[in-house]
Amino acid sequence: MDIHFIPAFTDNYIYAVTADAACWIIDPGTAEPVLRWIQQHRCPPTAILCTHHHADHVGGVAALAAQFKIPVYGANTRIPALTHPLEEGKYDIDGLPVTIMELPGHTRDHLAFRVDHHLFCGDTLFAAGCGRLFEGTPAQMLHSLDRLAALPQATQVYCAHEYTLSNLRFARHLEPDHPLLRDRQQQAERQILAGQPTLPSTIGLERASNPFLRVREPSVIAAAQAHDPGVPNDPLSIFTALRSWKDRFQ
Ligand SMILES: [Zn+2]
């Protein structure tokens, strides 16, 4: 199985996943770069999978589905041209076993796809960060992130945006002395300068350095309480405080 990055807009990644009988397009926010990729790789798509309904993830779905006459998988009819609604559970798509996780928070019906040790998590988990809460509650998002954090450490994490450097600036503001964050920032800066994605990450790396997966760590609790005195030190209160701080962080 091969995973290809198709950059789109300013910071989206559309993914093409290829295997024997499969060529999936995940979260095609726009058709044009996908069509270019298909032509270059001579790889007609077999299915479209969508993590959630935001326009920068589904804007190209209808055109691609119509042109290639392929099924569209997603949570529900908020996904354009949907043919196969998905729920939490195990599926076989084009001969590949896929585990679907329902992860509300960024939206109320956000999905992640796991194939083997690869995770496509849309706008739920980012490298060193997490998605904004558009429809879900902090409690839902924290539960979704905790479920991802419980996956095997070696799981490769493919996020839908290149937000790593911005997220690392916030993470280092919280934990300036965390050596892993310094290393991650240096590596991400090198990758961006070289025009490369900073992804995939791994669940192990995120557990060790992503503040939104570390709301039970004394250093992260202390940073949240220093910024926002009076925040109780339970995980949900810390997560809620961090998420709203990050929304305003420059
Ligand atoms: Zn989104």
Side-chain angles (χ1 to χ4, degrees):
M1 186 173 120
D2 289 311
I3 298 166
H4 310 257
F5 289 75
I6 306 175
F9 307 118
T10 51
D11 52 31
N12 280 74
Y13 289 126
I14 300 166
Y15 292 106
V17 176
T18 58
D20 293 341
C23 176
W24 302 343
I25 307 297
I26 300 182
D27 282 2
T30 175
E32 188 246 337
V34 178
L35 291 169
R36 254 198 328 266
W37 182 90
I38 290 167
Q39 202 161 35
Q40 279 165 5
H41 291 77
R42 299 178 195 288
C43 188
T46 57
I48 296 170
L49 283 72
C50 295
T51 61
H52 67 294
H53 73 287
H54 284 159
D56 61 320
H57 297 253
V58 303
V61 171
L64 292 168
Q67 179 168 345
F68 295 100
K69 301 187 171 34
I70 49 176
V72 177
Y73 295 83
N76 54 46
T77 53
R78 293 211 288 177
I79 306 297
L82 183 87
T83 58
H84 291 67
L86 299 172
E87 294 175 353
E88 175 90 22
K90 293 182 189 302
Y91 291 79
D92 181 299
I93 301 178
D94 296 332
L96 287 181
V98 190
T99 302
I100 306 298
M101 299 175 77
E102 293 179 350
L103 300 176
H106 178 69
T107 65
R108 63 175 180 269
D109 47 16
H110 192 295
L111 303 179
F113 310 117
R114 280 174 58 214
V115 190
D116 194 2
H117 60 289
H118 307 281
L119 170 72
F120 300 92
C121 53
D123 289 355
T124 297
L125 176 63
F126 291 123
C130 75
R132 285 176 187 257
L133 304 179
F134 283 106
E135 296 178 349
T137 63
Q140 286 176 321
M141 188 59 142
L142 180 59
H143 180 64
S144 293
L145 292 173
D146 283 344
R147 290 189 62 201
L148 294 178
L151 295 174
Q153 305 246 346
T155 304
Q156 304 271 304
V157 179
Y158 292 86
C159 322
H161 286 274
E162 181 57 71
Y163 286 163
T164 310
L165 277 180
S166 153
N167 288 336
L168 284 168
R169 272 194 295 279
F170 180 68
R172 290 207 69 194
H173 188 78
L174 297 178
E175 295 186 279
D177 300 325
H178 193 333
L180 191 50
L181 284 174
R182 187 197 54 223
D183 294 349
R184 284 192 79 174
Q185 191 173 29
Q186 287 171 353
Q187 189 190 8
E189 281 168 353
R190 280 196 300 273
Q191 288 168 317
I192 294 292
L193 270 178
Q196 295 165 352
T198 62
L199 303 169
S201 182
T202 65
I203 290 295
L205 184 56
E206 295 310 316
R207 279 181 58 170
S209 56
N210 184 327
F212 295 97
L213 302 189
R214 289 163 52 76
V215 296
R216 297 161 185 87
E217 293 293 323
S219 51
V220 173
I221 294 170
Q225 290 180 329
H227 177 259
D228 213 343
V231 173
N233 67 0
D234 64 280
L236 179 56
S237 299
I238 298 296
F239 176 78
T240 306
L242 286 186
R243 186 57 264 179
S244 77
W245 183 5
K246 175 68 167 65
D247 287 345
R248 290 171 276 116
F249 185 79
Q250 296 295 324

